[in-house]
Amino acid sequence: MKKIIVFASGSGSNAENIIKHFAKTKIAKVVSVFTNNASAKVIERAKNHHIPVEIFSKNELLERNLLQKIQEIDPDMIVLAGFLLKFPDHIIEQYPHKIINIHPALLPNYGGKGMYGMHIHRAIVNNKEKETGISIHYVNEHYDEGGIIFQKNVLLTEDDTPETVAEKIHELEQKYFPEIISRLLED
């Protein structure tokens, strides 16, 4: 069975969805959740599913000891699910094409440093976009610039608010993220 590590910084709804999805398969399982936020709700969600949690600081992410902890697990895939820090080059180099991220917009639009969550949804509404969506992509040394694996769009109306856009995006994330991870692990 293949091993997945999930990195998350916040509520962890995508992380929990991935944990639940793979708990019902023989393809892979989430073996650990890593977070840089000691008060993140993802910690409670992971523990409710008996998944070990590794809490680390930004400095530890940049140092080699976190890489060593990852190497001890020997994951087949590292999934960033609402992880807000830039992933360090020394980890990316060790796991080429094995680190993926989900972005709540259709890249290359609305990507880059500071573009996450409600910041994106507000910009999309303010710019009166007709559609938005999700992008699942490989992680490289630049924010949101790795090769795109999958995109799914959703139409918007004039009545959409940042909150309704967030709901539409969340539905797409919940449906497609585990499916794409499965597909990648089966290849």
Side-chain angles (χ1 to χ4, degrees):
M1 186 171 284
K2 295 187 176 178
K3 294 182 279 189
I4 301 168
I5 295 175
V6 176
F7 276 74
S9 297
S11 81
S13 60
N14 277 322
E16 185 173 40
N17 188 43
I18 293 164
I19 290 166
K20 286 178 176 178
H21 175 84
F22 286 102
K24 297 181 271 184
T25 75
K26 295 192 181 339
I27 299 165
K29 71 181 221 171
V30 175
V31 295
S32 189
V33 169
F34 282 58
T35 184
N36 61 304
N37 180 353
S39 59
K41 191 165 187 327
V42 72
I43 296 167
E44 179 186 329
R45 291 180 192 258
K47 288 183 176 175
N48 287 341
H49 294 280
H50 311 288
I51 306 294
V53 176
E54 183 73 39
I55 301 169
F56 60 90
S57 68
K58 185 175 182 178
N59 284 343
E60 288 172 309
L61 177 66
L62 300 175
E63 295 165 5
R64 300 268 173 193
N65 61 348
L66 197 66
L67 172 60
Q68 187 176 347
K69 289 178 182 180
I70 294 168
Q71 288 173 322
E72 287 168 10
I73 294 170
D74 190 28
D76 297 281
M77 183 173 286
I78 298 171
V79 175
L80 310 188
F83 184 66
L84 301 182
L85 297 179
K86 186 171 182 299
F87 222 63
D89 294 350
H90 68 273
I91 299 177
I92 295 168
E93 289 165 10
Q94 290 293 314
Y95 296 94
H97 285 92
K98 288 188 175 185
I99 306 171
I100 67 169
N101 182 38
I102 191 162
H103 187 76
L106 296 171
L107 292 173
N109 300 329
Y110 302 100
K113 185 173 175 58
M115 290 307 284
Y116 61 90
M118 293 305 287
H119 299 288
I120 294 171
H121 308 319
R122 277 192 281 280
I124 285 169
V125 169
N126 290 341
N127 291 334
K128 300 184 182 344
E129 297 286 357
K130 301 286 186 227
E131 70 174 7
T132 187
I134 60 169
S135 300
I136 298 170
H137 64 92
Y138 289 108
V139 173
N140 69 8
E141 64 277 6
H142 303 288
Y143 278 111
D144 304 320
E145 290 184 16
I148 293 173
I149 300 162
F150 174 84
Q151 289 185 308
K152 184 69 178 173
N153 69 319
V154 62
L155 296 177
L156 300 176
T157 69
E158 291 178 11
D159 298 330
D160 272 312
T161 64
E163 291 75 20
T164 62
V165 172
E167 289 170 18
K168 290 178 178 184
I169 292 300
H170 188 68
E171 283 180 31
L172 293 177
E173 291 171 337
Q174 294 283 296
K175 178 174 185 188
Y176 292 104
F177 204 15
E179 286 180 18
I180 298 304
I181 295 167
S182 291
R183 193 181 311 161
L184 290 170
L185 287 169
E186 287 171 336
D187 284 349

